[in-house]
Amino acid sequence: TGWYRGRIYQFEGGPSVAETVGSACAGTLSRAPRIGLRPISLGSSPTPNGSRVTLSGADPGMLSLLVLGLRQAAHPVDLSPFGFVGCSLLPDVLEVGVLIAGTQGLEAGYAHHDFQRGFASSTSLGLTVVGQWIVLGSAANWPGGTSATLRWKLQ
């Protein structure tokens, strides 16, 4: 048979500099969304010089919020009052990015954000980032769920 060329997004976690600090929550979705992290090459660089945080498993075409902070919140924010049953938000919120999950083919249910910085080693100085996705569901899956929470360092 022939080769299938495509992408696989159903992974969670990242390189050794990333640490999972909170678990995913399906909430009202059919399955919990997944957060991933990987190095990327930006521009004409032949070696990785940036990083990408990914979302997979979202409802196609729905809004997804990438919540970023510089540390984990002292007390997780319970999202149950907003309909995200059993879900919590762990980053101490500094910034929220709004993305729309892909709608067709390999992009369906996938979103990503690129950083212009590569990863720092766990022992070096760097900018600590804590990130988590809040994923909105469609129709019967409203309001949605959350990904696991990752903590990593950028250069």
Side-chain angles (χ1 to χ4, degrees):
T1 64
W3 286 90
Y4 174 77
R5 292 184 176 220
R7 294 184 229 172
I8 298 174
Y9 298 121
Q10 294 297 334
F11 72 93
E12 192 163 67
S16 61
V17 297
E19 174 187 12
T20 302
V21 293
S23 58
C25 173
T28 56
L29 300 173
S30 58
R31 65 177 185 254
R34 295 176 181 233
I35 186 172
L37 190 63
R38 65 185 182 92
I40 59 170
S41 295
L42 298 168
S44 59
S45 174
T47 58
N49 59 354
S51 52
R52 174 174 287 176
V53 61
T54 61
L55 165 70
S56 60
D59 284 356
M62 294 305 295
L63 284 177
S64 302
L65 308 172
L66 176 58
V67 181
L68 299 170
L70 300 179
R71 64 179 175 258
Q72 200 171 331
H75 302 286
V77 177
D78 180 13
L79 298 178
S80 295
F82 305 103
F84 294 82
V85 181
C87 300
S88 296
L89 185 62
L90 273 67
D92 191 7
V93 181
L94 175 66
E95 186 171 323
V96 177
V98 179
L99 294 106
I100 297 175
T103 58
Q104 298 179 39
L106 296 175
E107 300 297 327
Y110 174 80
H112 70 273
H113 176 74
D114 294 342
F115 293 95
Q116 302 292 318
R117 296 173 149 202
F119 298 115
S121 72
S122 58
T123 58
S124 69
L125 294 177
L127 178 67
T128 299
V129 178
V130 178
Q132 182 178 18
W133 291 96
I134 297 176
V135 178
L136 302 182
S138 58
N141 293 333
W142 181 261
T146 60
S147 72
T149 306
L150 292 181
R151 178 174 46 223
W152 68 95
K153 282 188 178 182
L154 294 175
Q155 293 177 342

